[in-house]
Amino acid sequence: MKLSADERPAEAGEDLEAAYREILARSPKVFASPEMLAQAANPMEAWFYGHHGRRTGKWAHYLEVYDHYLSRFRDRPVRLLEIGVSHGGSLQVWKRYLGPQAQVHGLDINPQVAAIDDEDLKVHIGDQSDPGVLDRILAETGGFEVVIDDGGHVGADQIASFEHLFPRLADGGVYICEDLHAAYWRFHGGGLGRSGTFIEYIKGLLDALHSRYFEAGEGREVAPWLRHVHAVSVYDSIAVIEKRTPRDPFRFIVGRQKLIAPSTPVTKPVRPV
């Protein structure tokens, strides 16, 4: 989604948009061919390269990621929400990949996508950062096992959607955020190390994942719902956050033969910071 003039960062101008277009031009579009379909390495690639319905586009290396995390939901009841509908092709791909029991929903701010009237898809119109819109969809669907954010690629919107939807995601579900390279582009309100991007937000999720190990006196509280973050996996431009009911970790000790006496120091002393 292109930012409106009011939504762009203050320093944005024609030179910034020109730089953004130049970046995109260096990433050529490739249309799927029969040869690509024949060489598909997994079912996700096969369904995507063989798609002939509504138009869609994904970075090729995303498909392996999607197959890895979504394969367990195939041919079973599953509810999926994709933020960012565009022409609607990806909704069709998700439906065919996941199978007839899947309920596939899309959310887009552009009212034109309401024209998508496929009987096995449901499109909602609204802003991904609007809690009222998200609550309406949740009430209608009962929630989701899979959420894919391919919406505006603006950090504030991505964070707002995640913080509202992840706590309500089904246990065992996955939350996927695409196109994180936009977090480095000023045209999308980003920049290297810039606060408020989803890339920087993910770094905080790593702390939340390890919050049980915080030492006393750290003075950092973690929201209870963040304790359900089971894993954070980051690939080139795409992140996957898995949700599970938290459980205290424990350590198994196996084997009987010992080599080091209990009193022998095995680590170097560390000077307190």
Side-chain angles (χ1 to χ4, degrees):
M1 180 185 74
K2 181 177 178 180
L3 295 179
S4 68
D6 293 337
E7 294 171 317
R8 295 179 196 169
E11 67 272 25
E14 293 183 3
D15 57 332
L16 193 55
E17 182 163 1
Y20 170 66
R21 298 301 172 194
E22 182 180 349
I23 291 172
L24 293 184
R26 294 200 299 265
S27 304
K29 295 180 180 178
V30 177
F31 288 89
S33 65
E35 291 76 18
M36 295 173 68
L37 177 58
Q39 297 174 13
N42 56 62
M44 183 75 253
E45 289 186 2
W47 278 109
F48 189 84
Y49 295 146
H51 178 66
H52 295 291
R54 299 181 184 277
R55 173 171 283 196
T56 185
K58 297 288 184 185
W59 292 88
H61 64 276
Y62 289 2
L63 302 179
E64 179 182 6
V65 176
Y66 278 122
D67 190 69
H68 179 74
Y69 290 98
L70 300 187
S71 59
R72 68 178 183 266
F73 296 108
R74 299 186 70 195
D75 299 317
R76 53 170 284 190
V78 59
R79 298 159 298 179
L80 178 148
L81 172 67
E82 182 172 32
I83 300 170
V85 173
S86 189
H87 303 286
S90 57
L91 297 181
Q92 293 180 326
V93 172
W94 301 134
K95 176 64 178 179
R96 290 163 187 169
Y97 171 81
L98 291 170
Q101 298 184 75
Q103 299 178 33
V104 176
H105 294 253
L107 169 63
D108 203 289
I109 199 170
N110 183 355
Q112 291 181 311
V113 304
I116 298 174
D117 57 357
D118 301 40
E119 292 183 358
D120 53 357
L121 304 174
K122 174 66 175 178
V123 172
H124 307 266
I125 305 301
D127 188 329
Q128 73 173 97
S129 65
D130 185 339
V133 170
L134 300 179
D135 283 339
R136 171 171 52 82
I137 297 172
L138 290 168
E140 180 178 329
T141 62
F144 298 96
E145 284 75 32
V146 179
V147 174
I148 299 169
D149 186 347
D150 185 22
H153 309 329
V154 176
D157 291 343
Q158 293 168 326
I159 294 169
S161 298
F162 177 79
E163 291 190 342
H164 199 86
L165 292 174
F166 187 84
R168 298 161 176 83
L169 192 69
D171 188 52
V174 295
Y175 195 105
I176 302 173
C177 191
E178 285 190 11
D179 296 345
L180 296 181
H181 48 262
Y184 298 98
W185 297 345
R186 288 181 296 151
F187 189 77
H188 284 276
L192 180 61
R194 188 165 186 171
S195 177
T197 67
F198 202 72
I199 284 287
E200 294 302 310
Y201 185 83
I202 288 171
K203 297 174 184 178
L205 292 181
L206 298 180
D207 286 332
L209 181 61
H210 296 90
S211 61
R212 59 169 52 90
Y213 306 108
F214 291 175
E215 292 185 340
E218 286 286 349
R220 297 186 61 182
E221 294 295 328
V222 174
W225 65 269
L226 282 171
R227 300 186 188 279
H228 291 257
V229 173
H230 173 71
V232 179
S233 303
V234 181
Y235 304 82
D236 178 357
S237 302
I238 184 171
V240 183
I241 300 98
E242 300 176 72
K243 180 178 181 179
R244 290 190 195 174
T245 300
R247 54 181 293 187
D248 292 332
F250 55 93
R251 194 166 59 118
F252 278 115
I253 298 176
V254 297
R256 297 182 179 277
Q257 186 177 4
K258 298 181 179 180
L259 178 63
I260 301 173
S263 61
T264 304
V266 293
T267 59
K268 295 189 296 183
V270 178
R271 180 178 300 173
V273 178

